[in-house]
Amino acid sequence: MSKLKPVLTKKQKKILAFIAKFSEDNGYPPTFKEIADKFLLTIGTIQDHIAALSKKGFLEKRAEKARGFIVVKNSDGGPLVSKSDVNMIPLYGNVAAGEPIFASDNIQGYITMEKSARGHNLHFALKVKGESMTDSGIYDGDIVIVRKQDAADDGDVVIALLDDEATVKTLRNSKIKAYLEASNSRYKSIINKPFKIIGKVIELRREYYPA
Amino acid sequence: MSKLKPVLTKKQKKILAFIAKFSEDNGYPPTFKEIADKFLLTIGTIQDHIAALSKKGFLEKRAEKARGFIVVKNSDGGPLVSKSDVNMIPLYGNVAAGEPIFASDNIQGYITMEKSARGHNLHFALKVKGESMTDSGIYDGDIVIVRKQDAADDGDVVIALLDDEATVKTLRNSKIKAYLEASNSRYKSIINKPFKIIGKVIELRREYYPA
DNA sequence: AATTATGCCATATTCACTTATGGTAAAATA
DNA sequence: TATTTTACCATAAGTGAATATGGCATAATT
């Protein structure tokens, strides 16, 4: 209903935005002087602005430290992306049978993922090929984010190594034996071949082109 | 096949890692002295290390600037997350008919998305409710990332406002009239109701729990 | 064996930067 | 109307921080 947000003046917004952008561009925040130069103001004026901004809680100032402040809130109130919240993980393409999956030659790029609070295990992403999982909503071209592990539970969608090829399947751990289930009825489940689980799918992404 | 990577010594790795972590934690890089204190070394020694690291291309040094260096490469060669590559967008939950969708009360959180090169239009995310799009691989609980726009092409998956309620459907722009198509045969398409397009789905995400 | 890179020290110098102080003036608020 | 906030100025002082030099001892290369 009602929200009392400390309002920034236009000037303050501009300065905050400049500090944020400068930090992004350069990897470190600007000095008072650098801000002053940008706005054709003097250092004293910037002192006042910084004081105002940190009093309003958009900035945190570390006393007596060069470039010692950080933008805490965005000028429009939204949260900031913190580098420590995000991870870069490699995206692997499909590999021909026999080729090593995790070869660095096979990295097609990197994608960002939210850093899962605890357990910063090893994650990677894989581009799905084939139609065998369409009934589970996993389509050709989708990207699955995988956590490396060599075991999983019944019903988990897993990446398995089968004849030296990586495939996406649902794991079935029946009492008699474990097998890999395709979710598309036109595809056969894999029951009598040995396989090795290399990871569990924890997220799926699909991009709709053209962007 | 062969890649010649400039190898870092253990000490250099440690120092690089410290600089990276310090920058993340504090929002600005450390000074020479702060590094020296951490490793119980002197400033002179750190000078050498910084020189070595930047000569090897892991660090970039801005001369005569306080805290003026940035980690360019990770010690293990992987790319760094750059804040400017990632955006925070709000995730909206489902709203009851009549309620405003973009109310800030309805923000269920924020998710990160790769910043699309150009066109930083307004994006938002929406949690899908219902089964009407399962044949297109969009399931209940999935999250769609939407770019705000009020028109779309035939076949685009869109978010439409219908009776004051936001729904995910496929847009059909036949010659006669435009309508919204459900992809699950058990659901009817919406042909004779007025609707308003508020955005186009550009990405889908599904989280598999438990993590 | 000779050379280069690593890893460390100390001291001195020179800016880079923040802080402190004390003004002036207009606009917003009580 | 009185008072607070915003928005600016100038100047001096005092550290914070990078740079410059030179030297020493090992390990790794050539």
Side-chain angles (χ1 to χ4, degrees):
Chain A
M1 239 104 294
S2 65
K3 67 212 76 157
L4 54 149
K5 39 186 164 187
V7 183
L8 295 185
T9 66
K10 281 176 193 171
K11 218 35 185 295
Q12 288 169 350
K13 270 186 195 175
K14 276 188 191 175
I15 290 177
L16 186 68
F18 171 73
I19 295 174
K21 186 170 190 321
F22 186 103
S23 303
E24 273 186 17
D25 292 347
N26 297 284
Y28 45 80
T31 63
F32 285 94
K33 179 151 194 311
E34 283 164 341
I35 303 170
D37 288 348
K38 193 71 183 186
F39 292 95
L40 300 176
L41 297 172
T42 63
I43 293 179
T45 306
I46 302 303
Q47 287 180 309
D48 294 341
H49 278 119
I50 296 295
L53 282 169
S54 60
K55 197 170 72 177
K56 290 184 179 179
F58 286 75
L59 210 62
E60 261 177 40
K61 182 81 185 68
R62 303 294 150 75
E64 291 173 36
K65 286 184 184 293
R67 306 174 190 276
F69 41 70
I70 42 176
V71 178
V72 173
K73 251 188 294 183
N74 217 332
S75 50
D76 47 278
L80 287 174
V81 200
S82 150
K83 275 195 234 175
S84 42
D85 292 341
V86 183
N87 250 347
M88 284 282 221
I89 60 173
L91 169 63
Y92 293 100
N94 276 95
V95 289
E99 306 245 338
I101 307 152
F102 298 128
S104 53
D105 301 16
N106 191 34
I107 294 180
Q108 300 207 330
Y110 288 83
I111 70 170
T112 57
M113 70 169 283
E114 243 112 321
K115 196 175 282 184
S116 42
R118 71 199 109 278
H120 33 87
N121 308 42
L122 287 179
H123 292 90
F124 64 96
L126 192 67
K127 199 156 210 170
V128 174
K129 192 164 171 80
E131 311 285 340
S132 74
M133 292 297 284
T134 52
D135 289 354
S136 294
I138 301 176
Y139 290 14
D140 186 75
D142 286 359
I143 290 169
V144 287
I145 297 179
V146 184
R147 185 179 55 214
K148 286 189 190 176
Q149 53 188 63
D150 55 10
D153 295 328
D154 181 76
D156 284 353
V157 178
V158 297
I159 305 296
L161 210 58
L162 191 79
D163 291 333
D164 279 329
E165 203 166 350
T167 50
V168 186
K169 291 284 181 301
T170 303
L171 179 68
R172 287 300 166 194
N173 268 322
S174 75
K175 277 169 209 143
I176 309 149
K177 71 187 307 183
Y179 66 97
L180 298 175
E181 181 183 77
S183 82
N184 181 333
S185 50
R186 302 212 323 270
Y187 285 73
K188 289 178 293 194
S189 295
I190 289 121
I191 303 194
N192 282 319
K193 274 188 183 173
F195 61 86
K196 182 169 170 282
I197 293 172
I198 57 181
K200 173 182 168 177
V201 172
I202 59 169
E203 190 180 332
L204 175 131
R205 295 194 188 176
R206 178 180 309 146
E207 277 165 25
Y208 292 85
Y209 59 92
Chain B
M1 241 105 296
S2 67
K3 68 213 75 156
L4 55 151
K5 39 186 165 189
V7 183
L8 295 185
T9 66
K10 283 176 192 171
K11 218 31 181 302
Q12 289 169 349
K13 271 187 194 171
K14 276 188 190 172
I15 290 176
L16 187 69
F18 171 73
I19 295 173
K21 188 172 189 321
F22 186 103
S23 302
E24 273 187 18
D25 293 347
N26 298 283
Y28 45 80
T31 61
F32 285 94
K33 180 154 192 309
E34 283 164 341
I35 304 170
D37 289 348
K38 193 70 183 187
F39 292 95
L40 301 175
L41 297 173
T42 63
I43 294 180
T45 305
I46 302 303
Q47 286 181 308
D48 294 342
H49 278 118
I50 297 294
L53 282 168
S54 59
K55 198 170 70 175
K56 291 186 178 177
F58 287 75
L59 212 61
E60 259 178 42
K61 182 81 186 67
R62 304 293 149 78
E64 290 173 36
K65 286 185 182 294
R67 305 175 191 277
F69 41 70
I70 41 175
V71 178
V72 173
K73 250 190 295 182
N74 218 330
S75 48
D76 47 278
L80 287 174
V81 198
S82 149
K83 274 194 229 174
S84 44
D85 292 341
V86 183
N87 249 346
M88 284 284 221
I89 60 173
L91 169 63
Y92 294 100
N94 275 95
V95 290
E99 306 245 339
I101 307 152
F102 298 127
S104 53
D105 301 15
N106 191 33
I107 294 182
Q108 300 206 330
Y110 288 84
I111 70 169
T112 58
M113 71 169 281
E114 241 112 319
K115 193 175 284 183
S116 43
R118 70 198 110 277
H120 33 87
N121 308 42
L122 287 179
H123 292 90
F124 65 95
L126 191 67
K127 200 156 209 170
V128 174
K129 193 162 170 84
E131 311 285 338
S132 75
M133 291 296 283
T134 52
D135 289 351
S136 295
I138 301 177
Y139 290 16
D140 186 77
D142 286 358
I143 290 169
V144 287
I145 297 177
V146 184
R147 186 180 55 215
K148 286 189 189 175
Q149 54 188 62
D150 55 12
D153 295 327
D154 180 76
D156 284 352
V157 178
V158 298
I159 305 295
L161 211 59
L162 190 78
D163 292 333
D164 280 330
E165 202 166 352
T167 51
V168 187
K169 291 285 181 298
T170 302
L171 178 68
R172 287 300 165 194
N173 267 324
S174 74
K175 277 168 211 148
I176 309 148
K177 71 188 302 185
Y179 65 97
L180 298 175
E181 179 183 77
S183 81
N184 182 333
S185 51
R186 304 212 322 270
Y187 284 74
K188 290 178 290 194
S189 295
I190 289 118
I191 302 192
N192 283 320
K193 275 190 182 171
F195 60 87
K196 181 168 171 285
I197 292 172
I198 57 180
K200 172 184 169 178
V201 172
I202 60 169
E203 190 181 333
L204 174 133
R205 294 195 189 177
R206 179 181 306 147
E207 276 164 24
Y208 292 86
Y209 58 91

